[in-house]
Amino acid sequence: MRPNLLDPLFAPAASLPGVGPKTGKLLDRLLVEASGQDASRGTSHARVVDLLFHLPHATVDRRNRPKIADAPLDQIVTIEAKVVDHQPPGPRSKAPYKVLVEDETGDILLVFFLANPQWIERSLPLGETRWVSGKLELWDGHRQMVHPDRVLDAAGLAKLPPVEPVYGLTEGLYQKILSKAIAAALTRLPVLPEWHRYEAVELPNMLSFGEALKRVHEPQDPADIAPMSPARLRLAYDELLAHQLSLMLVRASMRQRGGRAHEERGEIAAKIAAALPFALTGAQVQAREDIRRDLTAPTRMLRLLQGDVGSGKTVVALFAMAHVVEAGRQAALMAPTEILARQHYEGMAGLTGAAGLRLALLTGRDKASERARTLAALAAGEIDIVIGTHALFQEAVSFRDLGLAIVDEQHRFGVHQRLALGEKGAAVDILVMTATPIPRTLVLSYFGDMDISTLREKPPGRQSIDTRALPLDRLDEVIERLAEAIASGARAYWVCPLVAESEELDVAAAEERFDLLSQFFGNKVGLVHGKMKAQDKDRAMARFATGETQILVATTVIEVGVDVPEATIIIIEHAERFGLAQLHQLRGRVGRGSAKSSCVLLYKTPLGETAKARINVMRETQDGFLIAEEDLRLRGEGEVLGTRQSGAPGFRLAQLDVHGDLLALARAEAQQVMSANPKLEGEAGQALRLLLYLFERDAAVKLLQAG
């Protein structure tokens, strides 16, 4: 149970004074729906803590209070002046309402378009002194301020924050309303005990957690909200510590519950090896050995297998599953999409058949009778290996004896989903695979609870890919070159842009490009996008795989795992809108066969600095690990792993591209805690439990109670 001390923070934001139902809905949209968090936490309502964790991204400095003659132009100034003249527009005139104000050094015209005359007369009474704050401009040789941000009397000035925070908004929500809600949220912040042992942490000018939150929301200086300010460092560090500690508790709990040693003679593995058309790379052999050692040990395996595009992770996974099956247990592989699950199934069917393994596929759209048969066979132990989507961890799915759960593209699932699959059997070993090479800081933050195997070598026969970049206005030329390639039998992907965050717009862009290419290539063009029915998607993929269509127009649904070795060309439109890791993933769809492959990046001019840097990196290297480090440097962690929509730990107060160095510090402190107080007991332990609840790492605390 969450400690009562934190209850005020987890109350609905709509319960705060001044936040009615209408503002409450806008806060839900801003703080929950837009951040993609409702899926992972099971509620779509914003809470007080969500407001507190919504940090400002800029400030308005209202400390500059000069005389009129000294006031700089095109900057925010706050000026004390006497109201000397009102100049209302004539009846039916569209001219602005003007008010002349002055001090002993000069005067300013305040200009109001489409304004409410009563409000102006009330706020700026003739002969009275008022403070006005806004941007000063020169118009026709006269100083003016259009729509001042603030018009205040002496009492209003006393309440004016010298530095105002500026927050991200959603349509219909205004800075003033959001600032008031956050001010009300700050009053609900309880006094929290200190959870750090100061000798373990060396942060400059260490503030308490509560002081740090107040400093960021009530800055006295614009520097207070900077990512490296003492307040931001403290908040980021707390979030990273909560995360590292929760990962270690998960790990300790798995270790504590013990595993089962899987003994194998290697007979099934030998049959698979004999059926393979190639020899394993050194990296594959090493990874296979790491996993074999884990599986034969009496502790539970929790290992990340990361490799670049096409480094051969699936084969390593198959050997792991064969090991467990030979020891008399079952294995499951969970993929993020049906396309990928089906592809794993088809790719493994030949090898499992040769080795005498019983393989099944379970997805969300199996017919009811078919599904019932698969579930019964799984429960009876008549299936050795099952491949599926997240349908695998639904309650209806039970195994006779699950020994190994493999999760593909882990960052698309949250830790809780990984654990849910691990609960499907007694002491299930877990292997996580990703084809997104992950920078070191992100490996620590997302997979800090795991041992890691890395595949850096490409299997023999993998071709290097010729990568070129061209402006979009040379589209005709690209289509001409494509026509030559298609005439000689080539197959090509044409990837359409990521349009803002709207799947509808992505689809529209893909359909438009499909129509254009169909005019040139007729029925040789296929289309696949995320809004299509699953069977239509599969049919389009199958027609491309068999060569019935030679060009596949697609949105980014083809990004991960699609495997058509005959495809040798990929054209990525609006490449400037994609992140580096995503461009690299997409490029990895070609270069899978023996023929020479090429990738064309089409971009819209003029290119911004970041987009230019990304495209240069793509042209210079095909090393996914190098690309991942660059991507983190250029963009920040949320986008690198695509976690904004995925329930993985997209941090709210920490920015890994800026605060990455704090991660090692947080990890070291979490390790000290785990060796000194693994059950989080006593006063120090209670404070750390509060930290875990505050950052919603409840699952980790529950493990403590269960263990």
Side-chain angles (χ1 to χ4, degrees), residues 119-185:
W119 178 85
I120 295 175
E121 286 159 15
R122 206 170 50 246
S123 304
L124 292 154
L126 268 174
E128 294 293 327
T129 297
R130 288 291 180 266
W131 288 83
V132 290
S133 187
K135 189 182 278 188
L136 204 57
E137 297 165 323
L138 207 56
W139 176 258
D140 210 10
H142 199 280
R143 289 188 192 87
Q144 67 170 30
M145 193 182 279
V146 179
H147 287 284
D149 303 335
R150 301 282 183 275
V151 176
L152 305 161
D153 58 12
L157 180 76
K159 291 183 199 153
L160 179 74
V163 178
E164 280 179 27
V166 178
Y167 298 96
L169 298 169
T170 187
E171 194 183 346
L173 186 63
Y174 300 102
Q175 287 292 345
K176 207 169 178 180
I177 294 169
L178 183 57
S179 295
K180 269 188 180 156
I182 288 172

